[in-house]
Amino acid sequence: STTENLPICPEGIPYEIGIKDAAIVPDNWLTASSAFDGLHGANRGRLNIGKDANGAGGWSPTLADSSSWWQVEFDHKLVVVGIITQGGAESNNYVEHYQVSWHNGFGWVDKSEIFTANKDTSTSVTNTFNPVRATAIRIRPVSGSGNLVALRVEIIGCSESSTTGAATTTPRYTTTAIPVSTASPTTQPPTTSTSAPTTTPEDCIDWDKWVTA
């Protein structure tokens, strides 16, 4: 297969796009396959969001199975190099492993890697990968904490630039720099198997259809 030139970020420094801030990434950019209820919608899938009068501290799908996904769609094409995740605030639910898809403006492309995510509900876990040009990012939980999972997200990237470093769009997102190398993926699939982590029926009641790489 051919290898296209990888996109780069201006000055080589990606940053948090700003999912955590509704003034930067509005609710209507966030969608999901389903929501457990009105308090666990896609707009609650923002990094560091807590439980408040408007909803729960995290997105949760109706069913914790391989058909579930959370998505952010941007208003122009971005270079995306990584994802930060947390579990649900004030809950015992989190995503242990996930896969990533991105929309390149023409169709969806799936990454084959299974990324290791969270082991608790509060710790932020960062996964990086080779840069992709994306108009949308979709996260698909592969395994979770039980029959209900919860997810909070931030995206790491930048407005697209050419390989000469000249920005093609003016950044409108937060400029908090993230020290991320875009040279190669920092995440590997689970070392024992890419089919599913070891689990028990009691731990993952509804995870009966695992995603394979």
Side-chain angles (χ1 to χ4, degrees), residues 28-188:
N28 62 0
W29 290 16
L30 307 179
T31 55
S33 56
S34 65
F36 181 74
D37 57 26
L39 300 177
H40 292 81
N43 66 319
R44 305 304 295 180
R46 302 176 183 273
L47 197 75
N48 295 329
I49 196 171
K51 182 180 179 181
D52 57 32
N54 296 317
W59 164 72
S60 291
T62 302
L63 295 175
D65 62 20
S66 60
S67 66
S68 299
W69 50 263
W70 178 94
Q71 174 181 308
V72 55
E73 185 172 359
F74 310 117
D75 63 350
H76 65 275
K77 189 175 288 187
L78 300 179
V79 176
V80 176
V81 303
I83 294 172
I84 307 172
T85 60
Q86 291 172 314
E90 301 179 26
S91 75
N92 295 317
N93 305 310
Y94 50 90
V95 172
E96 294 177 330
H97 298 88
Y98 63 84
Q99 288 186 296
V100 177
S101 301
W102 74 94
H103 200 287
N104 60 14
F106 301 97
W108 286 100
V109 182
D110 299 329
K111 276 192 169 293
S112 61
E113 296 100 326
I114 296 178
F115 295 94
T116 299
N118 302 91
K119 296 181 179 180
D120 59 37
T121 61
S122 59
T123 304
S124 297
V125 175
T126 301
N127 286 301
T128 61
F129 41 79
N130 281 334
V132 298
R133 293 180 176 92
T135 58
I137 292 290
R138 181 175 290 181
I139 299 173
R140 294 182 288 118
V142 173
S143 66
S145 54
N147 63 340
L148 182 66
V149 298
L151 182 68
R152 293 180 287 170
V153 179
E154 182 58 85
I155 303 296
I156 303 170
C158 62
S159 290
E160 188 174 16
S161 69
S162 69
T163 55
T164 62
T168 59
T169 55
T170 302
R172 67 175 298 278
Y173 303 102
T174 177
T175 55
T176 302
I178 303 295
V180 174
S181 171
T182 61
S184 61
T186 59
T187 306
Q188 298 295 328

